Amino acid sequence: MRRARKKKIVLTSELFSTTTAAPKGRIGRGLGLLLYGVAFSGLGAAATFYSMVQKGFASFTDAESAKLFVPDSDELQQIEETINKHPLVQELRSRPEFKESRPHLKMSSEVRSRTLTGGALQGDGMIMVPPVAFIEDGGKSIVSVTYIGDKLCGHPGLVHGGLLATMLDEGLARGCFDALPHKIAVTASLEINYRKPTQANSFLVLRGKTVKVEGRKAWAEGCIETLPAPGEKPVTLVEAKGLFISPKYAAQKLTLNISNITWHPSLSRRERNQLRSQRGLTIWLTGLSASGKSTVATALEQHLLHLGLSAYRLDGDNVRFGLNKDLGFSEKDRNENIRRISEVAKLFADASTIAITSFISPYRADRDLARELHAKTEQDGDEPIPFVEVFVDVPLEVAEQRDPKGLYKKARAGEIKEFTGISAPYEEPVNAEITIKTHENTVEECVAQITNWLIAEGYVKSEVKN
Ligand SMILES: Nc1ncnc2c1ncn2[C@@H]1O[C@H](COP(=O)(O)OS(=O)(=O)O)[C@@H](OP(=O)(O)O)[C@H]1O
Ligand SMILES: Nc1ncnc2c1ncn2[C@@H]1O[C@H](COP(=O)(O)OP(=O)(O)O)[C@@H](O)[C@H]1O
C-alpha cells in the first residue's frame, strides 16, 4: 500500500453521502452495461483466481487476513476507524454465521501485486484500504466495505463504472464460492445496472446474495450502495446479477497451478535437523543370527520414540520381504542386500530420523561401505550423517543354544546352505562405536548402553528415562 496523501477524512454524514446529481446524459435509470458471454479470461479469471486463493493457495486464513493491514498515514487510519466503528461492521462482527476477512490480504504480496484490484488498483486515491468482507457460511451472502479515492474516475469526481462492475464481478463471485464444488467459479454472465452516480472519495458497501444453486452453477444478485452515516439510509448506486459456474477443470486446475509455485531452494541437512529439533543418524546393529539384534533394535526404537524422538527400524521383516525379496544368502546377494539397506537408512537419517538397522551384515567391507556412504554426505559445509556401528556380540555357542527359529539345527544338519557362523563367515567389527553383550546384559541394559552413548556424543538431547 503506497503512502496516502494528507487529506482529512471527517466522520460526518457528509463523508458517507454520494447523492450528487448525476451528470445528465451519462447514466439513465435502467440504462446499463450488459456483459454477456463466458468471460473466462477477463473478469471471469479474477473469480477463478480468488477461489483458488480461498481453497488452498492462500498464504493467510480469513482471520489472519482480517488483522494484517496496518495504516501508515492519518488518512488511512481515519478510513480504518470509520470502517471499524460503523454500526454495520459492528453488527456483522457479532453474527457468528459471517466470517470476516480481507480477501486480498489472504494472498502473498507477490501474488497480490499481479492482481487488478489487489495490485494495480490499490493505493493512494484508488482502493485505499483493502476491502473488508463478511461472507455468510455456505456461500449464502456477502457484505463488503471499501473506500474509493478520486483517482479511478470516469467523469471528474465520479467513480468509473468499469471499476464498479469489476467490484461486483469479484464480490458476487466471492460470495457464492462456498456454495459451489471446489469453491471455484468463473463468471458466465454479469448484468450491471447503474442507478446513481458514485462519488469518489467515499465508502461503498457491496452486498451480494446467492439466490439459486444448481450443481456447478450459482446465480447471485447484489448491489453497491453508500455506507450511510448514522440515522441515514443507504443509497443504492449500482445493481448487478450474474451467473457463476464452477468449471469441470477446477480440480485439475488447482493441481496444475501447484507446479507453478517457486519453491525455496533445498534445505540443508543442518536446517532440517534444526527444524525437526533432532539430528538424523544411522544405528547399525550387526551380529550373528540369534545374537539379539532384532530384540534390541525393537526395544531401542520404542525407547527413542518414547523420548519423543523420531526413530524407524529396518529389518528383515520390512526389507527382505519387500525391497530385497529378490535376494538370497550368497555372498553377492548379501553384498547387494547391505548396499541397498545402507542407502535406505541414509535417506531416513537424512530426513532427521534415527534409522536403526538389524541385519547380520557379516562382511566387514559391506559395513565399511555403509559407513562411507554416510560420511560422503558431508558437502557444501553440511554435516555428515553419523553412522554408529553396534556390535551385538555373543559367542556362537550362545546363539546356537538360543536358536529361536531352529535354523542352527537345520544348518548343522546341512538343510540350510551358507549359514552364517556355520557354513558362511561372520567378520567381527574392528572399529564398532558400541559393543553390547546380550548374554551378559538384559535387553533394557543394552538399550540404555546405546542411548547413553548417543547422549554422551551429543546426538540425542533427552535424558534416559528409566
Ligand atoms: N543362510 C543364512 N544365513 C543367515 N541367515 C539366514 C540364512 N538363511 C535364512 N536366514 C535368515 O535370514 C536372516 C538374516 O538376514 P540378513 O538380511 O540379516 O542377512 S545378511 O545381512 O544379508 O547376511 C536371519 O535372521 P536373524 O536370525 O534375525 O539374523 C535368518 O533367520
Ligand atoms: N539381552 C538380550 N538381548 C537380546 N536378545 C536376548 C537377550 N537375552 C536373550 N535374548 C533372546 O535371544 C534371542 C535373540 O533373537 P533375535 O532378537 O531375533 O536375534 P537376531 O535378530 O540377532 O537373530 C531372542 O529369543 C531373545 O529373547
Side-chain angles (χ1 to χ4, degrees):
M1 182 69 61
R2 287 198 294 277
R3 178 163 285 280
R5 294 159 298 163
K6 287 218 161 110
K7 178 160 67 68
K8 191 125 177 90
I9 295 195
V10 189
L11 307 180
T12 64
S13 59
E14 197 180 70
L15 180 70
F16 302 105
S17 166
T18 60
T19 50
T20 312
K24 284 217 166 76
R26 179 176 182 257
I27 301 159
R29 195 171 177 80
L31 174 69
L33 167 67
L34 205 59
L35 301 177
Y36 272 122
V38 181
F40 284 101
S41 58
L43 299 174
T48 309
F49 173 77
Y50 278 109
S51 69
M52 285 178 164
V53 163
Q54 215 164 359
K55 171 86 176 179
F57 290 94
S59 296
F60 301 98
T61 63
D62 286 343
E64 285 166 349
S65 73
K67 292 181 189 142
L68 276 178
F69 178 64
V70 181
D72 63 355
S73 71
D74 291 348
E75 187 182 11
L76 294 182
Q77 183 65 42
Q78 284 183 53
I79 293 171
E80 275 294 276
E81 276 178 22
T82 305
I83 293 172
N84 281 322
K85 287 181 181 163
H86 197 279
L88 171 69
V89 171
Q90 303 263 332
E91 193 233 321
L92 288 164
R93 282 190 178 139
S94 73
R95 293 174 63 182
E97 71 272 29
F98 280 91
K99 299 286 173 297
E100 181 177 352
S101 68
R102 291 189 112 144
H104 299 88
L105 298 189
K106 291 179 74 174
M107 304 171 231
S108 69
S109 54
E110 160 85 10
V111 173
R112 187 170 65 243
S113 67
R114 287 175 168 77
T115 67
L116 180 63
T117 53
L121 298 181
Q122 286 244 349
D124 183 24
M126 300 189 283
I127 301 172
M128 295 195 41
V129 298
V132 178
F134 295 87
I135 297 171
E136 192 178 355
D137 293 346
K140 291 189 192 125
S141 71
I142 182 172
V143 181
S144 85
V145 184
T146 309
Y147 184 86
I148 306 292
D150 59 4
K151 288 188 180 170
L152 297 175
C153 294
H155 291 255
L158 298 177
V159 177
H160 196 291
L163 173 67
L164 299 167
T166 300
M167 286 168 59
L168 281 157
D169 171 45
E170 286 189 359
L172 296 189
R174 190 178 295 132
C176 71
F177 282 157
D178 282 352
L180 288 168
H182 307 299
K183 298 182 195 300
I184 263 190
V186 293
T187 311
S189 75
L190 184 67
E191 183 183 333
I192 305 280
N193 284 290
Y194 297 98
R195 300 299 182 199
K196 278 190 171 21
T198 300
Q199 287 269 301
N201 292 322
S202 64
F203 291 90
L204 300 177
V205 176
L206 183 147
R207 291 182 183 275
K209 199 170 163 46
T210 307
V211 291
K212 190 167 80 167
V213 180
E214 269 177 17
R216 296 185 293 112
K217 294 181 185 170
W219 286 261
E221 294 178 5
C223 67
I224 290 176
E225 60 188 29
T226 58
L227 182 71
E232 290 188 354
K233 287 209 164 134
V235 176
T236 302
L237 305 167
V238 191
E239 289 175 333
K241 52 185 170 185
L243 168 60
F244 303 92
I245 302 179
S246 180
K248 283 181 185 158
Y249 64 76
Q252 188 196 353
K253 183 103 173 117
L254 280 167
T255 314
L256 288 175
N257 271 272
I258 286 172
S259 63
N260 293 334
I261 294 171
T262 308
W263 299 103
H264 187 276
S266 179
L267 286 173
S268 69
R269 189 172 315 106
R270 188 186 299 274
E271 286 169 322
R272 202 178 298 118
N273 286 341
Q274 273 168 0
L275 288 167
R276 294 283 309 275
S277 304
Q278 178 181 330
R279 188 166 183 189
L281 55 104
T282 293
I283 300 174
W284 189 281
L285 276 65
T286 172
L288 293 169
S289 174
S291 60
K293 302 181 299 296
S294 303
T295 307
V296 171
T298 304
L300 177 65
E301 180 191 31
Q302 285 175 19
H303 182 61
L304 294 174
L305 288 168
H306 279 113
L307 289 177
L309 297 161
S310 168
Y312 186 70
R313 186 169 45 90
L314 292 168
D315 70 3
D317 284 343
N318 55 24
V319 174
R320 273 210 175 262
F321 291 108
L323 175 69
N324 291 355
K325 66 178 179 192
D326 57 323
L327 301 176
F329 291 91
S330 67
E331 182 173 346
K332 203 167 150 245
D333 278 5
R334 290 189 206 235
N335 297 155
E336 178 60 10
N337 185 37
I338 299 308
R339 189 193 68 77
R340 291 184 198 169
I341 292 159
S342 308
E343 292 283 1
V344 174
K346 188 190 77 173
L347 290 177
F348 273 94
D350 193 32
S352 304
T353 292
I354 299 177
I356 305 167
T357 65
S358 56
F359 298 88
I360 296 178
S361 42
Y363 297 107
R364 208 170 285 140
D366 290 345
R367 298 193 300 265
D368 287 348
L369 207 76
R371 184 185 287 277
E372 252 173 63
L373 204 67
H374 284 68
K376 271 191 195 155
T377 55
E378 184 174 22
Q379 54 192 4
D380 302 328
D382 218 348
E383 56 201 359
I385 298 173
F387 181 84
V388 183
E389 191 172 347
V390 179
F391 178 26
V392 186
D393 181 16
V394 292
L396 178 63
E397 310 80 70
V398 174
E400 195 166 355
Q401 201 179 355
R402 286 178 179 166
D403 203 10
K405 301 174 197 161
L407 297 177
Y408 281 97
K409 205 170 165 208
K410 285 188 183 163
R412 289 284 182 200
E415 292 169 32
I416 303 178
K417 307 283 178 223
E418 299 181 287
F419 194 81
T420 308
I422 307 296
S423 45
Y426 178 77
E427 299 170 2
E428 290 191 359
V430 287
N431 55 357
E433 277 76 7
I434 305 170
T435 298
I436 56 174
K437 294 181 185 288
T438 62
H439 56 300
E440 292 176 3
N441 299 108
T442 64
V443 179
E444 291 75 18
E445 285 167 347
C446 293
V447 167
Q449 190 187 338
I450 297 170
T451 314
N452 286 336
W453 186 92
L454 295 173
I455 292 168
E457 291 296 315
Y459 293 143
V460 166
K461 283 186 201 137
S462 320
E463 290 299 319
V464 182
K465 289 179 200 157
N466 289 312

PDB file of all heavy atoms in Angstrom, residues 287-296 358 402 404-405 437-439 441-443 446, ligand 2:
ATOM      1  N   GLY A 287      25.570 -58.654  13.873  1.00  0.00           N
ATOM      2  CA  GLY A 287      25.844 -59.800  14.740  1.00  0.00           C
ATOM      3  C   GLY A 287      25.249 -61.070  14.154  1.00  0.00           C
ATOM      4  O   GLY A 287      24.478 -61.030  13.191  1.00  0.00           O
ATOM      5  N   LEU A 288      25.614 -62.163  14.765  1.00  0.00           N
ATOM      6  CA  LEU A 288      25.142 -63.482  14.317  1.00  0.00           C
ATOM      7  C   LEU A 288      23.618 -63.589  14.379  1.00  0.00           C
ATOM      8  O   LEU A 288      22.976 -62.813  15.110  1.00  0.00           O
ATOM      9  CB  LEU A 288      25.732 -64.569  15.222  1.00  0.00           C
ATOM     10  CG  LEU A 288      27.239 -64.798  15.163  1.00  0.00           C
ATOM     11  CD1 LEU A 288      27.666 -65.728  16.320  1.00  0.00           C
ATOM     12  CD2 LEU A 288      27.635 -65.419  13.821  1.00  0.00           C
ATOM     13  N   SER A 289      23.093 -64.529  13.645  1.00  0.00           N
ATOM     14  CA  SER A 289      21.679 -64.855  13.801  1.00  0.00           C
ATOM     15  C   SER A 289      21.452 -65.271  15.253  1.00  0.00           C
ATOM     16  O   SER A 289      22.271 -65.984  15.831  1.00  0.00           O
ATOM     17  CB  SER A 289      21.322 -66.005  12.839  1.00  0.00           C
ATOM     18  OG  SER A 289      20.006 -66.432  13.060  1.00  0.00           O
ATOM     19  N   ALA A 290      20.381 -64.782  15.860  1.00  0.00           N
ATOM     20  CA  ALA A 290      20.028 -65.060  17.261  1.00  0.00           C
ATOM     21  C   ALA A 290      20.946 -64.383  18.274  1.00  0.00           C
ATOM     22  O   ALA A 290      20.923 -64.710  19.458  1.00  0.00           O
ATOM     23  CB  ALA A 290      19.967 -66.567  17.540  1.00  0.00           C
ATOM     24  N   SER A 291      21.728 -63.420  17.790  1.00  0.00           N
ATOM     25  CA  SER A 291      22.580 -62.692  18.750  1.00  0.00           C
ATOM     26  C   SER A 291      21.738 -61.714  19.573  1.00  0.00           C
ATOM     27  O   SER A 291      22.143 -61.277  20.648  1.00  0.00           O
ATOM     28  CB  SER A 291      23.698 -61.934  18.012  1.00  0.00           C
ATOM     29  OG  SER A 291      23.136 -61.001  17.096  1.00  0.00           O
ATOM     30  N   GLY A 292      20.570 -61.338  19.060  1.00  0.00           N
ATOM     31  CA  GLY A 292      19.698 -60.397  19.785  1.00  0.00           C
ATOM     32  C   GLY A 292      19.491 -59.078  19.052  1.00  0.00           C
ATOM     33  O   GLY A 292      18.942 -58.129  19.628  1.00  0.00           O
ATOM     34  N   LYS A 293      19.900 -58.982  17.784  1.00  0.00           N
ATOM     35  CA  LYS A 293      19.786 -57.721  17.018  1.00  0.00           C
ATOM     36  C   LYS A 293      18.338 -57.209  16.978  1.00  0.00           C
ATOM     37  O   LYS A 293      18.071 -56.058  17.315  1.00  0.00           O
ATOM     38  CB  LYS A 293      20.286 -57.909  15.567  1.00  0.00           C
ATOM     39  CG  LYS A 293      21.715 -58.380  15.422  1.00  0.00           C
ATOM     40  CD  LYS A 293      22.120 -58.502  13.977  1.00  0.00           C
ATOM     41  CE  LYS A 293      21.315 -59.491  13.165  1.00  0.00           C
ATOM     42  NZ  LYS A 293      21.454 -60.927  13.605  1.00  0.00           N
ATOM     43  N   SER A 294      17.430 -58.086  16.534  1.00  0.00           N
ATOM     44  CA  SER A 294      16.035 -57.646  16.369  1.00  0.00           C
ATOM     45  C   SER A 294      15.420 -57.260  17.700  1.00  0.00           C
ATOM     46  O   SER A 294      14.710 -56.255  17.802  1.00  0.00           O
ATOM     47  CB  SER A 294      15.188 -58.755  15.743  1.00  0.00           C
ATOM     48  OG  SER A 294      15.761 -59.136  14.522  1.00  0.00           O
ATOM     49  N   THR A 295      15.691 -58.059  18.725  1.00  0.00           N
ATOM     50  CA  THR A 295      15.110 -57.791  20.051  1.00  0.00           C
ATOM     51  C   THR A 295      15.580 -56.429  20.575  1.00  0.00           C
ATOM     52  O   THR A 295      14.782 -55.606  21.033  1.00  0.00           O
ATOM     53  CB  THR A 295      15.513 -58.913  21.035  1.00  0.00           C
ATOM     54  OG1 THR A 295      15.162 -60.169  20.442  1.00  0.00           O
ATOM     55  CG2 THR A 295      14.824 -58.765  22.366  1.00  0.00           C
ATOM     56  N   VAL A 296      16.887 -56.196  20.482  1.00  0.00           N
ATOM     57  CA  VAL A 296      17.428 -54.929  20.980  1.00  0.00           C
ATOM     58  C   VAL A 296      16.953 -53.756  20.094  1.00  0.00           C
ATOM     59  O   VAL A 296      16.572 -52.687  20.602  1.00  0.00           O
ATOM     60  CB  VAL A 296      18.976 -54.978  21.044  1.00  0.00           C
ATOM     61  CG1 VAL A 296      19.560 -53.611  21.351  1.00  0.00           C
ATOM     62  CG2 VAL A 296      19.419 -55.998  22.088  1.00  0.00           C
ATOM     63  N   SER A 358      18.913 -53.793  11.662  1.00  0.00           N
ATOM     64  CA  SER A 358      19.311 -55.027  12.360  1.00  0.00           C
ATOM     65  C   SER A 358      19.441 -56.155  11.339  1.00  0.00           C
ATOM     66  O   SER A 358      18.479 -56.876  11.084  1.00  0.00           O
ATOM     67  CB  SER A 358      18.310 -55.372  13.463  1.00  0.00           C
ATOM     68  OG  SER A 358      17.011 -55.482  12.950  1.00  0.00           O
ATOM     69  N   ARG A 402      20.438 -70.626  21.778  1.00  0.00           N
ATOM     70  CA  ARG A 402      19.141 -69.932  21.719  1.00  0.00           C
ATOM     71  C   ARG A 402      18.310 -70.475  20.554  1.00  0.00           C
ATOM     72  O   ARG A 402      17.147 -70.808  20.720  1.00  0.00           O
ATOM     73  CB  ARG A 402      19.362 -68.419  21.509  1.00  0.00           C
ATOM     74  CG  ARG A 402      19.863 -67.695  22.731  1.00  0.00           C
ATOM     75  CD  ARG A 402      20.098 -66.227  22.395  1.00  0.00           C
ATOM     76  NE  ARG A 402      20.559 -65.460  23.533  1.00  0.00           N
ATOM     77  CZ  ARG A 402      21.087 -64.249  23.430  1.00  0.00           C
ATOM     78  NH1 ARG A 402      21.244 -63.682  22.241  1.00  0.00           N
ATOM     79  NH2 ARG A 402      21.473 -63.605  24.510  1.00  0.00           N
ATOM     80  N   PRO A 404      16.215 -69.571  18.230  1.00  0.00           N
ATOM     81  CA  PRO A 404      14.753 -69.412  18.345  1.00  0.00           C
ATOM     82  C   PRO A 404      13.986 -69.917  17.123  1.00  0.00           C
ATOM     83  O   PRO A 404      12.828 -70.300  17.246  1.00  0.00           O
ATOM     84  CB  PRO A 404      14.573 -67.898  18.520  1.00  0.00           C
ATOM     85  CG  PRO A 404      15.824 -67.265  17.996  1.00  0.00           C
ATOM     86  CD  PRO A 404      16.917 -68.257  18.228  1.00  0.00           C
ATOM     87  N   LYS A 405      14.659 -69.952  15.976  1.00  0.00           N
ATOM     88  CA  LYS A 405      13.927 -70.384  14.773  1.00  0.00           C
ATOM     89  C   LYS A 405      14.353 -71.797  14.320  1.00  0.00           C
ATOM     90  O   LYS A 405      13.926 -72.259  13.258  1.00  0.00           O
ATOM     91  CB  LYS A 405      14.191 -69.395  13.627  1.00  0.00           C
ATOM     92  CG  LYS A 405      13.778 -67.947  13.926  1.00  0.00           C
ATOM     93  CD  LYS A 405      14.221 -67.018  12.801  1.00  0.00           C
ATOM     94  CE  LYS A 405      14.204 -65.568  13.229  1.00  0.00           C
ATOM     95  NZ  LYS A 405      15.026 -64.712  12.374  1.00  0.00           N
ATOM     96  N   LYS A 437      26.681 -56.928  24.807  1.00  0.00           N
ATOM     97  CA  LYS A 437      26.774 -58.374  25.033  1.00  0.00           C
ATOM     98  C   LYS A 437      25.445 -58.845  25.602  1.00  0.00           C
ATOM     99  O   LYS A 437      25.173 -58.665  26.791  1.00  0.00           O
ATOM    100  CB  LYS A 437      27.935 -58.677  25.980  1.00  0.00           C
ATOM    101  CG  LYS A 437      29.301 -58.331  25.377  1.00  0.00           C
ATOM    102  CD  LYS A 437      30.427 -58.680  26.344  1.00  0.00           C
ATOM    103  CE  LYS A 437      31.795 -58.235  25.815  1.00  0.00           C
ATOM    104  NZ  LYS A 437      32.301 -59.036  24.690  1.00  0.00           N
ATOM    105  N   THR A 438      24.636 -59.417  24.737  1.00  0.00           N
ATOM    106  CA  THR A 438      23.273 -59.765  25.161  1.00  0.00           C
ATOM    107  C   THR A 438      23.232 -61.006  26.042  1.00  0.00           C
ATOM    108  O   THR A 438      22.190 -61.323  26.615  1.00  0.00           O
ATOM    109  CB  THR A 438      22.354 -59.967  23.933  1.00  0.00           C
ATOM    110  OG1 THR A 438      22.863 -61.069  23.170  1.00  0.00           O
ATOM    111  CG2 THR A 438      22.278 -58.736  23.069  1.00  0.00           C
ATOM    112  N   HIS A 439      24.342 -61.699  26.159  1.00  0.00           N
ATOM    113  CA  HIS A 439      24.383 -62.863  27.067  1.00  0.00           C
ATOM    114  C   HIS A 439      24.810 -62.442  28.467  1.00  0.00           C
ATOM    115  O   HIS A 439      24.748 -63.229  29.412  1.00  0.00           O
ATOM    116  CB  HIS A 439      25.332 -63.943  26.529  1.00  0.00           C
ATOM    117  CG  HIS A 439      26.725 -63.451  26.269  1.00  0.00           C
ATOM    118  ND1 HIS A 439      26.986 -62.442  25.384  1.00  0.00           N
ATOM    119  CD2 HIS A 439      27.927 -63.825  26.780  1.00  0.00           C
ATOM    120  CE1 HIS A 439      28.299 -62.217  25.363  1.00  0.00           C
ATOM    121  NE2 HIS A 439      28.878 -63.049  26.209  1.00  0.00           N
ATOM    122  N   ASN A 441      24.073 -58.921  29.521  1.00  0.00           N
ATOM    123  CA  ASN A 441      23.190 -57.817  29.932  1.00  0.00           C
ATOM    124  C   ASN A 441      21.771 -58.050  29.426  1.00  0.00           C
ATOM    125  O   ASN A 441      21.568 -58.684  28.394  1.00  0.00           O
ATOM    126  CB  ASN A 441      23.708 -56.486  29.369  1.00  0.00           C
ATOM    127  CG  ASN A 441      25.102 -56.146  29.886  1.00  0.00           C
ATOM    128  OD1 ASN A 441      26.089 -56.219  29.154  1.00  0.00           O
ATOM    129  ND2 ASN A 441      25.172 -55.812  31.166  1.00  0.00           N
ATOM    130  N   THR A 442      20.820 -57.471  30.191  1.00  0.00           N
ATOM    131  CA  THR A 442      19.413 -57.600  29.776  1.00  0.00           C
ATOM    132  C   THR A 442      19.153 -56.699  28.555  1.00  0.00           C
ATOM    133  O   THR A 442      19.976 -55.831  28.224  1.00  0.00           O
ATOM    134  CB  THR A 442      18.458 -57.147  30.898  1.00  0.00           C
ATOM    135  OG1 THR A 442      18.692 -55.749  31.132  1.00  0.00           O
ATOM    136  CG2 THR A 442      18.690 -57.946  32.176  1.00  0.00           C
ATOM    137  N   VAL A 443      18.013 -56.898  27.956  1.00  0.00           N
ATOM    138  CA  VAL A 443      17.626 -56.058  26.812  1.00  0.00           C
ATOM    139  C   VAL A 443      17.620 -54.585  27.233  1.00  0.00           C
ATOM    140  O   VAL A 443      18.146 -53.712  26.529  1.00  0.00           O
ATOM    141  CB  VAL A 443      16.222 -56.466  26.289  1.00  0.00           C
ATOM    142  CG1 VAL A 443      15.795 -55.578  25.125  1.00  0.00           C
ATOM    143  CG2 VAL A 443      16.199 -57.920  25.876  1.00  0.00           C
ATOM    144  N   CYS A 446      21.072 -53.185  27.543  1.00  0.00           N
ATOM    145  CA  CYS A 446      21.682 -52.962  26.224  1.00  0.00           C
ATOM    146  C   CYS A 446      21.147 -51.671  25.588  1.00  0.00           C
ATOM    147  O   CYS A 446      21.894 -50.875  25.014  1.00  0.00           O
ATOM    148  CB  CYS A 446      21.401 -54.146  25.305  1.00  0.00           C
ATOM    149  SG  CYS A 446      22.218 -55.676  25.831  1.00  0.00           S
TER     150      CYS A 446
HETATM  151  N1  LIG B   2      19.851 -59.445  26.401  1.00  0.00           N
HETATM  152  C1  LIG B   2      19.246 -59.906  25.307  1.00  0.00           C
HETATM  153  N2  LIG B   2      19.133 -59.151  24.229  1.00  0.00           N
HETATM  154  C2  LIG B   2      18.530 -59.605  23.124  1.00  0.00           C
HETATM  155  N3  LIG B   2      18.016 -60.822  22.993  1.00  0.00           N
HETATM  156  C3  LIG B   2      18.104 -61.635  24.054  1.00  0.00           C
HETATM  157  C4  LIG B   2      18.720 -61.219  25.243  1.00  0.00           C
HETATM  158  N4  LIG B   2      18.705 -62.239  26.117  1.00  0.00           N
HETATM  159  C5  LIG B   2      18.056 -63.262  25.498  1.00  0.00           C
HETATM  160  N5  LIG B   2      17.693 -62.891  24.245  1.00  0.00           N
HETATM  161  C6  LIG B   2      16.969 -63.761  23.311  1.00  0.00           C
HETATM  162  O1  LIG B   2      17.787 -64.061  22.199  1.00  0.00           O
HETATM  163  C7  LIG B   2      17.008 -64.257  21.055  1.00  0.00           C
HETATM  164  C8  LIG B   2      17.562 -63.353  20.015  1.00  0.00           C
HETATM  165  O2  LIG B   2      16.720 -63.336  18.879  1.00  0.00           O
HETATM  166  P1  LIG B   2      16.653 -62.126  17.899  1.00  0.00           P
HETATM  167  O3  LIG B   2      16.472 -60.851  18.619  1.00  0.00           O
HETATM  168  O4  LIG B   2      15.664 -62.490  16.878  1.00  0.00           O
HETATM  169  O5  LIG B   2      18.131 -62.126  17.301  1.00  0.00           O
HETATM  170  P2  LIG B   2      18.638 -61.761  15.859  1.00  0.00           P
HETATM  171  O6  LIG B   2      17.748 -60.676  15.351  1.00  0.00           O
HETATM  172  O7  LIG B   2      20.036 -61.315  16.062  1.00  0.00           O
HETATM  173  O8  LIG B   2      18.514 -63.018  15.069  1.00  0.00           O
HETATM  174  C9  LIG B   2      15.582 -63.947  21.443  1.00  0.00           C
HETATM  175  O9  LIG B   2      14.881 -65.122  21.696  1.00  0.00           O
HETATM  176  C10 LIG B   2      15.731 -63.153  22.709  1.00  0.00           C
HETATM  177  O10 LIG B   2      14.647 -63.283  23.586  1.00  0.00           O
END
